[in-house]
Amino acid sequence: MQRHLFILTGASRGMGLAMAEQLLAQQNHLLCISRHANPSLASVAAQRNCPLAQWTLDLSQPEPAALRLKTWLDERDPAQILSATLINNAGVIPTIAPLRASGPAELAAAMRVNLEAPMLLTAAFLDATQGWRAPRRVLNISSGLGRRPMASQAAYCAAKAGMDHFTRCLALDEARLPNGAKVCSLAPGVIDTDMQVQLRGADSANFPDQSGFAELKSSGQLSAASDAAKRVLAWLARPDFGQQAVADVHASA
């Protein structure tokens, strides 16, 4: 049976879990890459007759993950794939503090998860699928913090800005190919996830914007993860997906 192939990182919680749940359909084949497997996904996948694989990998060590993905994709039968999509969703926020107070190991791990891993996985995905005739897409989940600076968030802001710009470069590469992938770095808006809990729970002495994040919650401005996932997947399904290399889910075009 021909299916649409989706590869999704960070699928064990938050918006990633919501996207995974919404992608579990008979016409799809889903590969999730996260630090932890989610048992509920397996049961839903069985109910919906959707092939599901869950790899438990630490993306702060992205090289093994990229090599494993390349090998796995090389083993697929392209004739059975209607389309192939990589969604780089996994992300972490290091300790919320000025850069001078950030430990080198934690900074390095954050940059690997937030920027290195998406680049390595994207390279592996595009290399393995370059001969496929099926449409290919890469969706990078970015953030408004990649487009505006924020105190005590240097690593996260820099990684998301890097994600935006590597996506712009990637779009130029793929536009030169006859079946180049469509790519987009998409900001999904503010979502009620564990990351928001970290931000509004931070020490205001170290994080001047703490009160603003607390206000987002108290005023009901945060999107539910399931709603955000619907908007992101709707953007992915747009016929003009990829015409904008960097976009915001709330933009109309």
Side-chain angles (χ1 to χ4, degrees):
M1 176 180 175
Q2 291 183 310
R3 286 185 164 95
H4 298 281
L5 173 63
F6 290 90
I7 301 156
L8 171 65
T9 68
S12 63
R13 61 182 184 175
M15 189 180 74
L17 175 58
M19 283 194 287
E21 291 170 341
Q22 292 172 29
L23 287 170
L24 289 176
Q26 186 174 1
Q27 70 269 23
N28 296 339
H29 182 176
L30 179 60
L31 166 62
C32 296
I33 304 174
S34 307
R35 289 188 66 183
H36 307 285
N38 191 300
S40 68
L41 285 180
S43 61
V44 174
Q47 293 169 11
R48 298 180 184 175
N49 194 26
C50 175
L52 168 70
Q54 296 189 75
W55 294 354
T56 53
L57 298 174
D58 183 354
L59 291 179
S60 68
Q61 302 296 325
E63 297 95 334
L67 289 171
R68 183 174 175 182
L69 179 61
K70 172 69 163 60
T71 300
W72 187 83
L73 287 169
D74 284 341
E75 295 170 351
R76 301 306 101 197
D77 179 2
Q80 297 302 310
I81 296 172
L82 293 170
S83 68
T85 302
L86 170 64
I87 304 174
N88 286 305
N89 166 72
V92 297
I93 288 184
T95 299
I96 300 168
L99 189 65
R100 65 180 181 275
S102 303
E106 188 179 18
L107 285 175
M111 295 303 290
R112 290 188 186 117
V113 172
N114 294 331
L115 181 57
E116 250 186 77
M119 292 189 75
L120 269 62
L121 292 172
T122 299
F125 172 78
L126 294 175
D127 183 30
T129 63
Q130 63 178 331
W132 294 9
R133 302 180 69 177
R136 298 172 301 142
R137 299 171 297 185
V138 176
L139 174 60
N140 291 324
I141 302 300
S142 185
S143 169
L145 293 185
R147 300 160 199 182
R148 63 183 177 91
M150 182 168 286
S152 297
Q153 284 291 286
Y156 189 78
C157 290
K160 292 302 185 181
M163 172 179 273
D164 285 351
H165 210 49
F166 104 70
T167 306
R168 293 184 182 101
C169 297
L170 180 61
L172 296 176
D173 288 341
E174 294 299 306
R176 302 175 62 234
L177 302 176
N179 188 32
K182 305 300 182 183
V183 303
C184 180
S185 186
L186 183 68
V190 286
I191 308 164
D192 198 1
T193 63
D194 291 346
M195 198 171 284
Q196 284 287 326
V197 174
Q198 283 180 264
L199 291 166
R200 64 177 177 265
D203 181 358
S204 59
N206 283 330
F207 187 37
D209 292 277
Q210 183 273 339
S211 61
F213 284 96
E215 173 66 18
L216 288 174
K217 176 66 172 179
S218 63
S219 62
Q221 296 182 58
L222 297 177
S223 298
S226 58
D227 293 337
K230 286 178 185 176
R231 287 195 295 269
V232 167
L233 294 178
W235 189 282
L236 180 65
R238 286 168 53 143
D240 63 347
F241 176 84
Q243 288 188 13
Q244 292 176 270
V246 175
D248 186 297
V249 76
H250 295 296
S252 59

